[in-house]
Amino acid sequence: MKNIFISSTFSDLIDYRKHIEDVIKRYGDLFTGMEYFGARSISSKELCIKEIKNCDIIILIIGIRYGSKIDTVLSYTEMEYNTALSEKKKIYPFIIDSDNAKFNYSDFESNKINQEALKNFIKKIKQNYTVEKFCSPSDLATKVAIVLGKNFPKMENYSFNAFEELFDRLSKDSYEYDVYSIGANNVDRYIKLDVIQPDHECEIEMNSNFYGGGSGSNTLAVLGNLGVNVGISGIVVKDNYGNFLEKDLASFKIDTSELIKVDTSKTFTGRTTILIDNYFARTILVEPGINNEYSYYLNQYDNFNTVVNKCFQSRIIHLSSFSSESEILTQSQVITKLQKTKLVSFTPGQLYCNFGLLRIKPILERTNIIFFYKKQLETLIKELPEYEDSLRLEDKINLLFLWKKRNHLDEPLIIVVKNRNYKDSFSEKYVNVGIGRYQLESYHQSSSLSELPEHIPTMDTTGAGDSLVGGMLYGLLNCEDLKKCANYGFMTALNASKSLGGRTELYTKNELSKSLKKYFKYHINQVLD
């Protein structure tokens, strides 16, 4: 059993200390700190020195205050550091990432003499040690656990709950948007046939209508219809299809102020032709058109910084696929400019998965929530040496976490896999969720419905996956637990599949609430109100 002393200021770091205490107590080690000093017959200074001499490890946390002074000279924290140094104790220093961490204004050091003392103290620490930065209580807890795990074998398997950290990051402050999306916009057209299979000849049924499409746009439509504040950055041509898409997006209260509209006859608004059969199988034929020039026009119109600022003003940034690698680069450049406290969700689609792990790594480095169909996940991880077709889905999800670990990607991650059986389009196993950081910490499936309808009318599953994304993000925004988020996604996906078109059948907030109450026996939280 190790005796671990936490040295820091107190009032500005209470939550941080509690998170570290939780890490230490999980392994039966002793946590020592000022919280438990109580009444003693010796001075606070003598007590601190005594406790440091008796401890094995010092976790040093430097925030934004210098702290209370002893005899008007050194702060208690600096005195504790000096004592530990002279006693040759193991010291692990962690310093706040002031650019990304959130504090109350009253927490900041206002005394100019103390401000200078804090700068000098940090400088002194850096001369002796390599420091680790942190931006939130759970981020600090994870990094403390990792450092201790490298030095003390009994702690090596510790992995702080990634879902808890993402909730910790999800700001409840008021922003212009709850979700802001960057992705392709398309007009969808449908062709119905009896079955999709090789060397097959059949009659087709053409549908003369066209529908709004694009993965990210479909997701925003779900959220906008539920009353969430959403905005989009994308591109269309000033043609009939482009005008239709702009009006369609606006009908779901999606802010289209950064939808680039290009007056050109050299290309066209993106479009897809979707083949669907009687077994809910589909093939999507993509003609990207102007979507492949999004990066060019974003810079040509000098809109890049505007889009970055829009993302700064959003709680979640959602990325969906284009068709070319230049757009992958642009999306990654946007999210690398964001604070670590921002949540990034990502729907790579088959097109990005075909590029492989290395090419989309710049986006994966910063992704916190990723959505796949099972086939898309398999396409992406087939290059890994451990991959086998026979692996369980749970193990395939874990391979992506292991790849993250090998590549030193330390963001907490939720992996959502939509596993659809075409003969039985929707079941309680449709939503599969893995969560972790360097390994799969927990694995969930959406619940069995308590009252499954005798017949679920399913016409087109094209928008189902995007609607699932919208449902899950809506659950996160409403501070629901992971299981409920999966069930939200299940219900929004099920509803979207009732008609042709990715955003024809969408819930209002009241309709979703009624469905959740009927099938899962619970109500929506009211956080967004």
Side-chain angles (χ1 to χ4, degrees):
M1 180 181 291
K2 301 292 181 183
N3 191 341
I4 302 175
F5 186 91
I6 308 300
S7 176
S8 76
T9 51
F10 188 73
S11 62
D12 58 325
L13 295 171
I14 293 174
D15 287 344
Y16 293 80
R17 295 175 67 93
K18 285 180 180 177
H19 275 68
I20 297 175
E21 181 179 1
D22 179 61
V23 171
I24 294 168
K25 286 184 175 179
R26 289 188 189 204
Y27 289 86
D29 290 308
L30 294 177
F31 169 89
T32 303
M34 63 186 79
E35 297 92 326
Y36 301 107
F37 281 178
R40 304 286 182 96
S41 60
I42 57 176
S43 69
S44 298
K45 177 181 177 180
E46 292 173 310
L47 181 56
C48 286
I49 292 173
K50 179 181 176 182
E51 293 293 346
I52 288 170
K53 287 182 176 180
N54 290 333
C55 78
D56 302 296
I57 304 161
I58 308 292
I59 301 296
L60 177 64
I61 314 169
I62 305 300
I64 53 175
R65 297 181 68 85
Y66 183 60
S68 303
K69 289 183 177 180
I70 304 170
D71 302 326
T72 70
V73 182
L74 293 178
S75 68
Y76 274 91
T77 308
E78 187 165 3
M79 180 274 296
E80 290 164 354
Y81 170 78
N82 290 342
T83 302
L85 206 60
S86 64
E87 293 290 326
K88 297 182 179 179
K89 298 291 183 179
K90 288 183 178 292
I91 302 173
Y92 299 100
F94 298 85
I95 296 178
I96 193 76
D97 182 354
S98 56
D99 292 331
N100 291 310
K102 291 186 64 177
F103 282 95
N104 296 322
Y105 182 77
S106 58
D107 289 330
F108 284 88
E109 184 65 75
S110 58
N111 185 297
K112 290 186 177 181
I113 295 176
N114 286 351
Q115 289 175 1
E116 191 63 28
L118 179 60
K119 288 181 183 178
N120 291 333
F121 183 26
I122 292 173
K123 184 178 179 180
K124 181 166 71 173
I125 295 168
K126 289 181 176 180
Q127 288 174 345
N128 293 308
Y129 294 93
T130 300
V131 302
E132 182 89 50
K133 285 191 173 184
F134 62 91
C135 63
S136 70
S138 50
D139 180 42
L140 175 63
T142 300
K143 288 174 177 176
V144 168
I146 291 170
V147 167
L148 293 177
K150 291 177 180 177
N151 294 276
F152 302 98
K154 67 180 292 185
M155 301 186 91
E156 65 186 358
N157 293 321
Y158 178 78
S159 182
F160 195 80
N161 189 290
F163 189 68
E164 182 179 336
E165 177 167 348
L166 293 180
F167 256 152
D168 197 36
R169 289 190 188 185
L170 192 59
S171 173
K172 307 303 185 295
D173 292 346
S174 177
Y175 282 104
E176 184 177 357
Y177 306 102
D178 294 302
V179 181
Y180 197 84
S181 179
I182 304 172
N185 289 274
N186 302 302
V187 168
D188 294 344
R189 298 166 297 178
Y190 288 85
I191 298 175
K192 185 77 180 291
L193 58 159
D194 58 357
V195 64
I196 295 175
Q197 63 183 22
D199 304 319
H200 178 64
E201 182 178 346
C202 68
E203 290 187 8
I204 63 172
E205 180 184 328
M206 293 289 295
N207 185 292
S208 59
N209 297 323
F210 53 91
Y211 303 84
S215 175
S217 299
N218 289 341
T219 294
L220 290 188
V222 172
L223 292 164
N225 220 48
L226 290 168
V228 176
N229 294 323
V230 291
I232 190 169
S233 176
I235 190 167
V236 295
V237 171
K238 287 184 179 179
D239 55 16
N240 290 336
Y241 285 161
N243 293 335
F244 164 76
L245 284 178
E246 184 178 14
K247 290 178 182 178
D248 188 54
L249 292 169
S251 72
F252 296 102
K253 298 181 180 179
I254 300 170
D255 178 8
T256 60
S257 59
E258 294 308 314
L259 182 67
I260 301 170
K261 297 171 281 289
V262 182
D263 191 359
T264 179
S265 59
K266 294 181 180 179
T267 186
F268 50 87
T269 296
R271 56 199 183 205
T272 62
T273 301
I274 302 168
L275 311 180
I276 55 174
D277 71 9
N278 294 329
Y279 301 99
F280 315 113
R282 59 183 178 151
T283 296
I284 301 177
L285 312 176
V286 179
E287 298 174 87
I290 194 71
N291 284 312
N292 277 357
E293 299 179 51
Y294 170 75
S295 297
Y296 170 78
Y297 281 104
L298 188 70
N299 292 297
Q300 188 78 5
Y301 290 6
D302 200 24
N303 281 9
F304 179 83
N305 289 331
T306 303
V307 171
V308 171
N309 289 333
K310 292 286 187 180
C311 292
F312 269 110
Q313 286 302 312
S314 181
R315 296 170 68 192
I316 297 175
I317 294 83
H318 180 65
L319 306 181
S320 59
S321 62
F322 288 89
S323 298
S324 68
E325 290 192 60
S326 60
E327 277 61 51
I328 293 177
L329 178 61
T330 296
Q331 288 175 318
S332 64
Q333 287 172 338
V334 170
I335 60 176
T336 53
K337 290 184 176 293
L338 302 177
Q339 312 102 308
K340 279 278 192 177
T341 50
K342 292 291 182 184
L343 259 67
V344 176
S345 67
F346 181 31
T347 304
Q350 191 64 48
L351 293 176
Y352 274 15
C353 290
N354 289 341
F355 283 131
L357 284 166
L358 185 60
R359 290 184 181 178
I360 66 171
K361 181 182 174 184
I363 295 179
L364 294 176
E365 285 178 351
R366 188 59 186 81
T367 296
N368 303 116
I369 314 165
I370 190 166
F371 299 88
F372 300 103
Y373 277 105
K374 182 184 175 186
K375 180 184 176 183
Q376 294 167 357
L377 172 65
E378 291 170 343
T379 299
L380 195 62
I381 63 173
K382 269 187 176 179
E383 64 191 70
L384 301 178
E386 303 92 339
Y387 179 83
E388 295 178 8
D389 285 332
S390 59
L391 288 174
R392 298 177 303 164
L393 179 55
E394 182 178 347
D395 296 323
K396 290 176 180 178
I397 291 172
N398 194 39
L399 284 185
L400 189 54
F401 283 110
L402 295 177
W403 174 82
K404 281 178 81 263
K405 183 177 181 179
R406 282 199 291 265
N407 287 272
H408 311 290
L409 308 187
D410 63 354
E411 283 291 302
L413 181 65
I414 299 172
I415 299 175
V416 182
V417 181
K418 298 157 280 186
N419 185 18
R420 187 178 46 167
N421 181 335
Y422 290 113
K423 299 290 183 181
D424 177 22
S425 186
F426 290 97
S427 73
E428 68 273 10
K429 296 181 180 180
Y430 176 64
V431 186
N432 301 265
V433 184
I435 186 164
R437 185 185 298 271
Y438 297 118
Q439 61 183 26
L440 183 63
E441 293 177 12
S442 59
Y443 178 70
H444 308 268
Q445 292 176 328
S446 54
S447 302
S448 298
L449 298 177
S450 55
E451 186 185 337
L452 189 67
E454 292 182 8
H455 173 66
I456 302 174
T458 302
M459 180 176 289
D460 169 34
T461 60
T462 301
D466 302 327
S467 292
L468 178 142
V469 177
M472 288 202 68
L473 294 184
Y474 187 69
L476 281 171
L477 289 166
N478 278 282
C479 298
E480 299 287 15
D481 61 40
L482 187 59
K483 185 176 181 180
K484 285 187 177 181
C485 288
N487 290 337
Y488 278 33
F490 182 92
M491 292 307 299
T492 51
L494 184 63
N495 193 58
S497 69
K498 292 178 181 178
S499 300
L500 281 179
R503 42 189 189 247
T504 306
E505 290 280 347
L506 302 181
Y507 279 125
T508 63
K509 182 176 180 179
N510 186 49
E511 290 167 344
L512 177 59
S513 182
K514 286 181 180 178
S515 292
L516 290 169
K517 183 180 179 182
K518 179 178 180 181
Y519 297 125
F520 293 109
K521 308 302 182 188
Y522 55 70
H523 301 271
I524 294 176
N525 279 338
Q526 301 299 312
V527 176
L528 288 177
D529 289 344

